[in-house]
């Protein structure tokens, strides 16, 4: 079941029953379709609906008005809904739909999930700080499985467990930076969620960092190297892994089986070469993860940063001044949904893809799993998606 409509029906409607004309699902579908078409603001969400024809609006569940015409929700109507929306429920619905699409695209493959935060810079006002969101995003194809508002960056570690608690992480690998390398969270991840982890260790964990720094790395040969060129720089990375024996004292970090040392070299055009050594620990043993795979996990963690770049550049998230109620987070959720849906279909350039969809609104519906086949009069069957003339008996 890849139809987004069924997932959005689980989001509770914050409005009073009296005076409703548009269903909440129809409003959210208009917003989602506009988002995959590249809409950046609430005004652009409404403008997409204004361009949609009657058949398209019918497929999205928009009712006819008294004069038998269909009109998309107005900008004020959309703004009021997003302001009061239960964004936890919206993120849960969008995450479940994206997880379904991601699993269908790669059945049986072990997921690797990055946990990282992002600030909504334009949401700050004199009387309120900017919003800060924490997300769980798959490596490779950036699909946002869960998202939570945490208030500020310093609160991210407290929301680590609530963010991942609803997800089935059995045998998955979770990566995170040094901020989230907290023993209690890592122990919960391994013991309760039955997941593996790759945790970067920095001096904020002094005991574990000193133990890793004191290991005899010279006795171990380099086990994997990789390099790449692009954007005016050349980078190379090498990795060494060392098995941690519990009977010899282990490492002051729970469930650690391997210690990792990654050495990075970067040479930018016209600048001196820089070098960096990064320590990490991981729960899979040598039989469960090869050095090349672990190196890929460490580098792939920055998939979440690439997704943040798309949100900032293509969808102008940092420039957005939406700040009222839950609207900032709701807009971020719509952007995550759009990026995940397009990436799951194989889009490599989100900006180019959204431009191709923008001028033809009907192209957005198949991306959301909705079949759209209008007849000559623009009428469609809302049950099966075929034209009314083809299935006149469909009830």
């Amino acid at each position: 079941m890849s139809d987004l409509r069924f997932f959005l029906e689980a989001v509770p409607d914050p409005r009073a029953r009296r005076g409703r004309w548009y269903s909440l699902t129809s409003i959210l579908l208009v917003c989602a379709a506009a988002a995959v078409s590249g809409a950046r603001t609430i005004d652009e969400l409404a403008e997409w609906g204004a361009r949609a024809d009657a058949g398209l609006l019918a497929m999205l569940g928009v009712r006819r008005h008294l004069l038998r015409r269909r009109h998309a929700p107005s900008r004020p109507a959309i703004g009021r809904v997003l302001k009061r929306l239960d964004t936890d429920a919206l993120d849960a619905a969008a995450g479940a739909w994206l997880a379904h699409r991601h699993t269908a695209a790669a059945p049986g493959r072990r997921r690797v999930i990055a946990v990282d935060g992002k600030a909504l810079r334009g949401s700050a006002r004199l009387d309120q700080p900017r919003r800060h969101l924490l997300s769980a995003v798959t490596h490779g194809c950036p699909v946002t499985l869960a998202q939570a508002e945490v208030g500020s960056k310093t609160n991210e570690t407290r929301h680590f467990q609530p963010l991942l608690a609803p997800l089935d992480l059995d045998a998955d690998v979770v990566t995170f930076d040094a901020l989230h390398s907290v023993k209690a969270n890592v122990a919960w991840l391994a013991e309760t969620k039955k997941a593996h982890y790759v945790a970067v260790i920095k001096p904020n964990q002094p005991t574990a960092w000193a133990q890793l720094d004191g290991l005899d790395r010279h006795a171990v040969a380099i086990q994997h190297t990789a390099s790449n060129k692009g954007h005016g720089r050349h980078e190379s990375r090498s990795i060494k892994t060392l098995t941690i024996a519990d009977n010899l004292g282990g490492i002051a970090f729970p469930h650690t089986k391997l210690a990792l040392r990654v050495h990075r070299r970067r040479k930018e055009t016209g600048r001196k070469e820089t070098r960096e050594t990064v320590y990490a620990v991981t729960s899979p043993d040598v039989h469960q993860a090869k050095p090349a795979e672990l190196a890929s996990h460490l580098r792939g963690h920055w998939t979440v940063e690439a997704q943040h770049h798309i949100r900032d550049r293509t969808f102008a998230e940092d420039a957005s001044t939406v700040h009222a109620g839950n609207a900032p987070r709701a807009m971020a959720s719509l952007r995550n949904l759009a990026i995940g849906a397009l990436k799951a279909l194989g889009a490599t350039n989100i900006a180019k893809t959204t431009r191709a969809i923008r001028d033809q609104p009907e192209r957005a519906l198949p991306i959301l799993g909705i079949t759209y086949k209008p007849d000559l009069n623009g009428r469609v069957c809302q049950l099966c998606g075929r034209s009314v003339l083809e299935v006149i008996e469909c009830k």
Side-chain angles (χ1 to χ4, degrees):
M1 181 176 61
S2 61
D3 194 326
L4 180 61
R5 290 176 292 191
F6 299 108
F7 292 86
L8 293 181
E9 287 172 357
V11 181
D13 197 327
R15 301 168 296 171
R17 295 185 63 86
R18 183 177 181 181
R20 292 184 198 171
W21 186 263
Y22 301 102
S23 68
L24 179 65
T25 301
S26 67
I27 294 177
L28 293 180
L29 283 172
V30 169
C31 293
V36 299
S37 302
R40 299 180 172 188
T41 65
I42 296 178
D43 288 324
E44 292 182 9
L45 297 180
E47 289 168 4
W48 183 92
R51 293 196 303 271
D53 60 29
L56 194 58
L57 294 176
M59 285 303 301
L60 297 178
V62 176
R63 295 168 56 194
R64 292 182 185 273
H65 281 274
L66 298 178
L67 297 178
R68 311 299 293 168
R69 291 174 132 184
R70 299 185 198 273
H71 295 286
S74 65
R75 194 274 181 211
I78 293 174
R80 286 193 298 267
V81 167
L82 297 184
K83 179 180 176 180
R84 300 169 54 193
L85 193 65
D86 183 345
T87 44
D88 287 333
L90 176 62
D91 278 320
W97 181 70
L98 289 172
H100 173 80
R101 298 289 293 269
H102 186 267
T103 303
R109 184 182 301 177
R110 183 167 66 178
R111 295 184 302 184
V112 187
I113 302 168
V115 176
D116 199 15
K118 185 183 186 302
L120 304 180
R121 301 181 186 277
S123 63
R125 288 298 179 271
L126 291 176
D127 59 341
Q128 67 180 30
R130 64 189 180 189
R131 310 294 181 85
H132 198 91
L133 304 176
L134 183 66
S135 304
V137 182
T138 57
H139 285 211
C141 176
V143 169
T144 303
L145 303 177
Q147 182 174 258
E149 187 166 346
V150 300
S152 65
K153 186 175 181 66
T154 56
N155 293 332
E156 285 188 19
T157 55
R158 292 195 297 108
H159 289 81
F160 183 89
Q161 293 185 29
L163 175 76
L164 298 178
L167 302 181
D168 180 9
L169 300 177
D170 189 15
D172 290 340
V173 179
V174 180
T175 65
F176 38 87
D177 57 21
L179 177 64
H180 294 288
S181 296
V182 178
K183 295 179 183 179
N185 288 343
V186 171
W188 171 84
L189 195 63
E191 296 167 9
T192 303
K193 303 301 289 184
K194 308 302 181 185
H196 292 298
Y197 69 85
V198 178
V200 174
I201 302 297
K202 290 186 177 179
N204 67 324
Q205 294 280 350
T207 303
W209 190 87
Q211 290 175 326
L212 292 172
D213 192 50
L215 294 175
D216 186 9
R217 300 289 178 179
H218 299 291
V220 180
I222 293 175
Q223 296 163 311
H224 176 73
T225 61
S227 62
N228 64 289
K229 295 181 180 180
H231 304 287
R233 62 177 179 265
H234 178 269
E235 294 181 338
S236 62
R237 298 166 297 280
S238 62
I239 187 172
K240 295 182 178 181
T241 66
L242 192 65
T243 302
I244 301 299
D246 291 334
N247 60 345
L248 297 179
I251 290 291
F253 213 75
H255 302 280
T256 294
K257 299 294 180 60
L258 292 175
L260 314 178
R261 173 197 176 271
V262 177
H263 188 66
R264 300 170 179 163
R265 295 185 179 187
R266 174 183 290 186
K267 177 67 171 67
E268 296 188 24
T269 304
R271 297 187 179 182
K272 293 183 179 180
E273 181 182 81
T274 60
R275 301 184 181 188
E276 179 186 21
T277 298
V278 176
Y279 294 130
V281 292
T282 185
S283 56
D285 58 31
V286 291
H287 303 291
Q288 295 172 311
K290 302 301 182 184
E293 187 178 1
L294 294 171
S296 175
H297 293 344
L298 283 168
R299 181 165 174 78
H301 176 76
W302 302 110
T303 297
V304 67
E305 296 295 338
Q307 190 211 37
H308 293 170
H309 181 79
I310 295 172
R311 282 164 57 176
D312 288 336
R313 296 295 182 179
T314 302
F315 292 93
E317 185 167 86
D318 275 349
S320 174
T321 58
V322 175
H323 63 279
N326 293 332
R329 179 178 169 186
M331 291 296 293
S333 302
L334 293 171
R335 296 176 189 119
N336 289 336
L337 187 150
I339 294 169
L342 294 173
K343 285 291 187 179
L345 292 175
T348 56
N349 187 320
I350 297 296
K352 183 178 180 180
T353 304
T354 54
R355 287 195 299 269
I357 300 171
R358 183 177 303 147
D359 295 332
Q360 294 181 299
E362 65 276 6
R363 290 184 173 182
L365 267 65
I367 297 171
L368 304 179
I370 302 173
T371 303
Y372 176 59
K373 296 180 179 180
D375 66 2
L376 294 178
N377 296 320
R379 295 178 296 169
V380 294
C381 173
Q382 296 189 44
L383 296 179
C384 65
R386 292 180 291 170
S387 72
V388 175
L389 293 180
E390 293 176 334
V391 284
I392 194 69
E393 74 283 358
C394 183
K395 301 292 184 182

